[in-house]
Amino acid sequence: MGDVVSAHLDESKRQYISEKTGKVAGEFCRYYEQQFGVALFNSVRYEIEGNGGPQTQLLHRKAPLEDKSIFSGNLFQYLEENKKWRNRFFFIPDCYEVLFYETRLAYDRGLHPKGAINCAGYKVLTSLEQYQELINSSLPNLKVKPGSQYLRCATQYPIILWHPYGRHLYFCVLTEKEQQKWHAVFQDCVRHANNGLPEDSRVETPAFTDAIRMYRQAKEHYGTWDMMCGSPVQILSNLVMEELHPELRNMISPRLKGKAQERQRHWILISDAVYRIVQTQCQAQYEAVVQRCEAGRPPLESSIRTDMDQIITSKEHIANKIRAFVMPKAEKCVKSHVQPYISSILDALMSPTSRGFSEVREVFFREIVEMNKNAINEGGQEKLGEHMEKISMLAFHPVKMQSCYEKMEELQLEGLQQRFDVSSPAVFVQRAQILMREQMDNAVYTFEQLLHQSLESSADKEDLCKASQRIQDRVIKKYDYDSSTVRKKFFREALLQIIIPYMLKKLEPSCKAELPKFQELIFEDFSKFILVENIFEEVVLQSVMKDIMLAVKEAAVQRRHNLFRDSMVLTNSDPNLHLLGDGPSIDWESQYGGGLEEPDSADLPITEKRRRMKQVVSMIQLEGMPPLPHESCLEVPTEEGIPEEQEPEVGSEPEVPTSPDSIHQIRDLINPVVTLETSVPAADSPPLTNGTVPQPGQKAESKEEQKADPSPACLEQPSSVTSHDDSGFQSPAREEAEDEQAQPITKDPAPVGETTAVLAEGEVTLDAKVVDPSSDRETREEVSGKTSPEDSAC
């Protein structure tokens, strides 16, 4: 594949890519330097004047995922280099970066990961049909025949990560339950990675976002932008690729050779190579401009603090001049093109958002009620630690929160998208989902602190239940108030994101040419802190802000949205509550679960840290199937036989084709059905296990029967899966306690029978000793998700 990239990206094209990237990035840097001074002035002014919003009722957790991971488990990953599927171990830490290793043993030993995946900008797909539609849109001239597939999956449960510019990633699992869980986990990774701009940065982030917006508006790109996701370098690279990608596609696509699938695959590889080149160059230019701005920050800040009053007076003077010129036109635009649609936009936003936050409330309520029942029935405080450990990470459990997120995914703007140039509602969906997660964690953290404070004074079981119910009611009341405040702010921001770019586009022909004359009114000493373009946008915002505030205020009266009116302000009934948020995190399992207090993880080696790390989502492991060795890859036929759209229909296939095209034939070749027979009498035959831990009472098998070593690719697919409850995470310390109940295997696993595999013309047959098949039955056992080194080495 490297030859394909080098063949189409010769020296001249690489030079063109470098020049185009330098031009776009250089122009962006000019906007960034201008906006940096404005953002610095606004930050210092905010620091002096305050203007803070209403105080929140719930506490906020500072480090919610400390010493915890999100998920880990095995996936089949497709390798483009040799067109094979490899079984690999995937680990998602608290930063939501997807790391993968060859085996679980490599992770346990503290080895470096095989690779890492940053999910910013990706879409998570679970259907080959959805993926084929996106592939066809990437190269419109190369459309594969409907019903054909770009990729042959090893199983019927694929998970695909699609990116408009980067390389696509293909995974598959063996069960639908695994697919649903991994889909939720990957979506959470995308959601977190897309929100890559730090919100606590009051200078760099506003300067960056305003520079991006100013650049795109200068190119007449108004409205929301789907690729405003990831870190600043990734967003800047997306800005370059927005212009560069279609140009290169027109230059290179006519020269691609081969069938439609091969040309599509080659284009994806070429696009990924270009994206990497652009990212490298953008990172260098962005870091350089940030360093220049930071170096000049101290004198600018000193000047702002010295001349703050004069700068504010000068800005107000110029704003009044611009307001007198722009406001009549802006008000006319609002009355004619905006007012009739504000209520429609707000209704479309409020319904799914309110349902999502209501679902967050219900999920929190159900979990607390379930915890109370279990604590009473299973022994009071002895079981409290175990259940509270699970609840403490509820907001970061993607499977538990999926029902909340799905409510927001119902958002539809349809006719409004075209009118107001909204590319898709994804920007608003992901923002609302992040707010849901934050509010859930705030509610859980507040409940934790209040319950822990209550437990210090009483340890009785009945008192525990009453205190928990009383605290639950208090927290839900605080959640209702905070979620109402958060939603109203979200509605206002979403309306501004939709309406302001539309109004700027409408007012540009009549106003833009007159704006430069107002620049002459600005003193040269203040020109770095006052920009006419920014004041123009502020005046446009003021012209429509009154209507937006009124619409949100009227919506708060409707009871179905469960919003507090602006006049409703909760008195601070817990004056000392916020003092609880300054304390350290509560280790529920060690304090109330009977566990031993663990030493500081900072002094432990990396292998011990990983062993002790707790996981938010439980692992899934198939029963009745030994782990696949990392050396084995599943062969997948190439896609050369897939017809293109313009090719005639293929005739009927022979009974034994030389190249399997049917998905059933491919599945049979990948996972052939094998009957394993044993010579042990039926009466004495113990139940078979997955080959790792024997069932209690199982007799040791003879060592001579060890010779059968069937390939994992030739084992029959298990008919069922079992997994731990998704209600919480697993602690490796608890896994060790479970392992102690079973005797370790001291001898090599006994053979099930003499087997011989003969592959001829696409068929697999096995010869074995004939015995009573009734003695061969499946058993299911709970698997803890932790794989021992012996298992990984199998």
Side-chain angles (χ1 to χ4, degrees):
M1 293 301 178
D3 296 337
V4 173
V5 174
S6 59
H8 292 281
L9 292 181
D10 53 18
E11 190 62 32
S12 61
K13 289 189 176 61
R14 290 178 182 270
Q15 181 67 24
Y16 175 77
I17 294 170
S18 177
E19 292 176 355
K20 184 71 175 181
T21 304
K23 179 181 178 182
V24 175
E27 195 169 349
F28 161 82
C29 290
R30 182 174 61 84
Y31 282 108
Y32 182 86
E33 289 178 322
Q34 292 177 353
Q35 295 299 325
F36 186 85
V38 177
L40 182 60
F41 167 75
N42 293 334
S43 174
V44 175
R45 184 177 182 181
Y46 178 87
E47 177 189 331
I48 295 175
E49 298 179 354
N51 298 329
Q55 184 179 7
T56 60
Q57 296 291 315
L58 297 171
L59 300 178
H60 178 71
R61 198 192 309 260
K62 296 179 181 178
L65 291 173
E66 186 178 5
D67 295 331
K68 293 180 177 65
S69 64
I70 304 299
F71 193 49
S72 62
N74 282 72
L75 281 173
F76 289 101
Q77 183 179 11
Y78 184 71
L79 308 180
E80 285 277 4
E81 295 76 13
N82 52 15
K83 295 184 175 63
K84 294 181 181 180
W85 293 88
R86 182 182 292 276
N87 185 35
R88 282 176 166 167
F89 177 77
F90 285 77
F91 173 74
I92 295 101
D94 57 354
C95 64
Y96 287 89
E97 187 177 32
V98 182
L99 309 177
F100 57 90
Y101 301 78
E102 287 294 350
T103 61
R104 173 63 188 263
L105 182 61
Y107 165 77
D108 289 336
R109 289 177 174 175
L111 302 180
H112 290 289
K114 187 77 175 178
I117 303 170
N118 186 307
C119 294
Y122 276 94
K123 288 184 179 180
V124 187
L125 310 173
T126 56
S127 167
L128 290 174
E129 289 74 19
Q130 295 175 335
Y131 179 64
Q132 190 62 62
E133 292 178 5
L134 293 173
I135 287 293
N136 288 340
S137 64
S138 64
L139 281 176
N141 326 346
L142 303 176
K143 292 187 178 181
V144 179
K145 178 184 173 181
S148 301
Q149 294 180 348
Y150 174 86
L151 182 71
R152 301 296 193 188
C153 279
T155 71
Q156 58 180 327
Y157 303 108
I159 303 171
I160 302 172
L161 298 183
W162 177 89
H163 195 282
Y165 310 131
R167 176 173 292 199
H168 304 168
L169 302 164
Y170 315 98
F171 311 99
C172 65
V173 291
L174 297 177
T175 66
E176 185 177 3
K177 185 174 183 180
E178 277 188 293
Q179 185 188 43
Q180 292 172 353
K181 180 172 286 190
W182 276 107
H183 178 252
V185 170
F186 276 127
Q187 278 191 318
D188 221 24
C189 293
V190 171
R191 194 178 298 115
H192 182 88
N194 284 350
N195 191 35
L197 295 176
E199 296 183 3
D200 55 349
S201 175
R202 296 187 177 275
V203 179
E204 290 80 5
T205 297
F208 181 86
T209 54
D210 289 345
I212 291 287
R213 190 183 72 254
M214 291 294 183
Y215 177 88
R216 298 190 77 247
Q217 289 178 1
K219 302 294 182 181
E220 298 185 353
H221 294 304
Y222 294 86
T224 59
W225 186 35
D226 285 349
M227 296 309 294
M228 187 77 175
C229 51
S231 65
V233 173
Q234 289 174 312
I235 296 174
L236 181 55
S237 302
N238 296 337
L239 188 69
V240 175
M241 293 295 288
E242 187 179 27
E243 298 182 22
L244 180 62
H245 196 258
E247 296 176 3
L248 286 178
R249 182 176 58 191
N250 295 335
M251 293 168 56
I252 295 176
S253 61
R255 302 183 180 182
L256 296 174
K257 306 297 181 181
K259 292 185 176 293
Q261 289 75 25
E262 286 300 316
R263 282 180 280 176
Q264 287 178 342
R265 177 176 290 104
H266 293 167
W267 171 245
I268 293 171
L269 294 174
I270 294 169
S271 175
D272 176 66
V274 173
Y275 193 43
R276 292 173 184 273
I277 294 172
V278 170
Q279 278 187 318
T280 303
Q281 188 171 346
C282 285
Q283 182 173 3
Q285 291 190 246
Y286 177 72
E287 290 177 352
V289 71
V290 169
Q291 289 178 0
R292 289 200 304 269
C293 292
E294 287 296 330
R297 179 170 179 168
L300 286 178
E301 189 168 347
S302 176
S303 177
I304 291 172
R305 295 184 183 277
T306 303
D307 303 327
M308 173 65 75
D309 293 338
Q310 292 89 336
I311 297 174
I312 294 175
T313 303
S314 177
K315 181 180 179 180
E316 287 297 325
H317 174 70
I318 298 166
N320 290 333
K321 297 284 186 182
I322 296 178
R323 190 178 295 111
F325 170 69
V326 174
M327 190 61 76
K329 301 177 182 179
E331 290 177 345
K332 182 179 179 181
C333 178
V334 170
K335 187 174 181 180
S336 303
H337 303 288
V338 175
Q339 274 184 351
Y341 301 97
I342 290 181
S343 59
S344 301
I345 300 173
L346 192 57
D347 286 341
L349 287 169
M350 292 180 73
S351 296
T353 307
S354 297
R355 287 196 297 268
F357 277 87
S358 296
E359 183 67 16
V360 171
R361 189 182 192 270
E362 290 299 318
V363 171
F364 172 77
F365 180 82
R366 288 197 303 265
E367 291 293 328
I368 300 301
V369 170
E370 188 68 20
M371 185 270 293
N372 286 337
K373 291 180 180 179
N374 293 332
I376 292 176
N377 297 333
E378 299 178 10
Q381 288 195 14
E382 287 73 15
K383 287 292 182 179
L384 178 66
E386 178 182 345
H387 295 296
M388 283 304 300
E389 278 288 349
K390 296 175 182 179
I391 292 176
S392 66
M393 289 294 102
L394 179 61
F396 301 94
H397 196 301
V399 180
K400 291 280 187 181
M401 293 290 294
Q402 188 64 19
S403 61
C404 309
Y405 297 151
E406 287 174 351
K407 302 293 183 184
M408 193 62 206
E409 290 172 358
E410 300 171 2
L411 175 64
Q412 296 291 335
L413 297 177
E414 293 181 355
L416 300 172
Q417 285 186 226
Q418 296 180 351
R419 180 173 189 84
F420 291 97
D421 194 19
V422 179
S423 56
S424 79
V427 175
F428 308 111
V429 170
Q430 290 193 0
R431 179 59 185 165
Q433 289 172 341
I434 289 172
L435 293 174
M436 290 177 195
R437 186 175 68 185
E438 290 178 355
Q439 289 301 302
M440 173 66 90
D441 189 52
N442 291 347
V444 169
Y445 184 56
T446 306
F447 180 84
E448 281 188 83
Q449 295 294 331
L450 292 175
L451 182 62
H452 184 262
Q453 185 184 48
S454 176
L455 289 174
E456 294 177 351
S457 59
S458 175
D460 186 76
K461 184 188 300 185
E462 294 183 0
D463 292 342
L464 168 64
C465 181
K466 292 179 181 178
S468 177
Q469 291 177 349
R470 185 172 62 253
I471 293 169
Q472 172 187 289
D473 294 339
R474 291 172 60 190
V475 171
I476 286 180
K477 185 181 295 186
K478 294 176 182 296
Y479 169 81
D480 288 340
Y481 181 82
D482 278 8
S483 68
S484 174
T485 304
V486 167
R487 278 180 288 155
K488 287 190 289 187
K489 181 181 178 183
F490 168 73
F491 296 145
R492 290 192 294 266
E493 291 177 349
L495 285 171
L496 290 175
Q497 281 185 275
I498 294 172
I499 293 173
I500 295 301
Y502 173 78
M503 291 187 63
L504 292 175
K505 186 177 182 179
K506 285 284 185 181
L507 295 172
E508 180 186 8
S510 58
C511 298
K512 190 173 182 179
E514 301 295 327
L515 291 179
K517 68 179 184 180
F518 294 102
Q519 191 70 33
E520 301 173 358
L521 303 176
I522 302 175
F523 292 113
E524 184 177 357
D525 294 342
F526 303 155
S527 60
K528 293 184 178 180
F529 315 124
I530 304 174
L531 294 179
V532 171
E533 293 82 0
N534 293 65
I535 298 177
F536 171 64
E537 290 190 2
E538 290 176 8
V539 171
V540 174
L541 185 147
Q542 292 168 7
S543 67
V544 74
M545 195 64 189
K546 181 179 178 181
D547 296 278
I548 291 176
M549 296 291 289
L550 181 62
V552 175
K553 184 177 180 179
E554 291 177 351
V557 180
Q558 305 176 20
R559 296 178 61 86
R560 61 192 178 96
H561 295 304
N562 193 26
L563 291 171
F564 283 86
R565 299 183 183 182
D566 293 340
S567 58
M568 294 285 293
V569 179
L570 286 183
T571 58
N572 193 1
S573 58
D574 298 315
N576 298 324
L577 176 62
H578 288 271
L579 298 178
L580 297 176
D582 298 332
S585 299
I586 303 170
D587 190 347
W588 289 98
E589 193 166 9
S590 63
Q591 292 188 30
Y592 297 97
L596 298 176
E597 187 172 352
E598 297 182 351
D600 187 5
S601 60
D603 302 329
L604 298 174
I606 186 170
T607 54
E608 187 66 15
K609 283 183 183 179
R610 292 184 173 183
R611 190 187 69 81
R612 293 175 181 268
M613 187 175 291
K614 298 174 183 178
Q615 184 170 277
V616 175
V617 187
S618 60
M619 296 176 66
I620 289 183
Q621 184 169 332
L622 294 177
E623 296 293 342
M625 183 176 180
L628 293 176
H630 71 277
E631 297 86 5
S632 68
C633 290
L634 301 181
E635 294 283 355
V636 178
T638 60
E639 294 76 15
E640 296 176 357
I642 302 177
E644 298 183 32
E645 196 170 30
Q646 62 269 22
E647 291 184 357
E649 292 287 338
V650 181
S652 59
E653 299 179 353
E655 293 185 3
V656 185
T658 56
S659 176
D661 292 327
S662 169
I663 188 61
H664 298 290
Q665 295 171 337
I666 296 170
R667 191 176 293 132
D668 290 340
L669 289 179
I670 297 172
N671 300 302
V673 177
V674 180
T675 302
L676 302 179
E677 300 173 341
T678 177
S679 58
V680 179
D684 300 333
S685 177
L688 293 178
T689 69
N690 63 352
T692 57
V693 181
Q695 297 292 330
Q698 180 177 348
K699 297 181 179 180
E701 310 263 14
S702 62
K703 192 172 183 179
E704 302 133 356
E705 298 175 350
Q706 163 185 343
K707 298 178 182 177
D709 186 21
S711 172
C714 300
L715 291 177
E716 182 178 354
Q717 296 280 351
S719 59
S720 63
V721 228
T722 61
S723 66
H724 281 293
D725 182 18
D726 292 339
S727 60
F729 53 81
Q730 289 176 303
S731 171
R734 297 186 58 82
E735 295 168 8
E736 292 178 354
E738 294 174 4
D739 293 341
E740 291 175 359
Q741 298 175 3
Q743 296 294 330
I745 299 177
T746 56
K747 296 184 180 182
D748 294 337
V752 188
E754 298 288 342
T755 60
T756 307
V758 181
L759 179 62
E761 297 183 350
E763 298 180 356
V764 177
T765 60
L766 295 177
D767 298 331
K769 297 180 182 179
V770 179
V771 294
D772 183 8
S774 64
S775 63
D776 192 15
R777 57 191 176 92
E778 277 190 315
T779 62
R780 303 175 184 174
E781 68 178 285
E782 289 296 320
V783 180
S784 67
K786 175 169 179 172
T787 306
S788 64
E790 290 82 7
D791 295 338
S792 301
C794 287

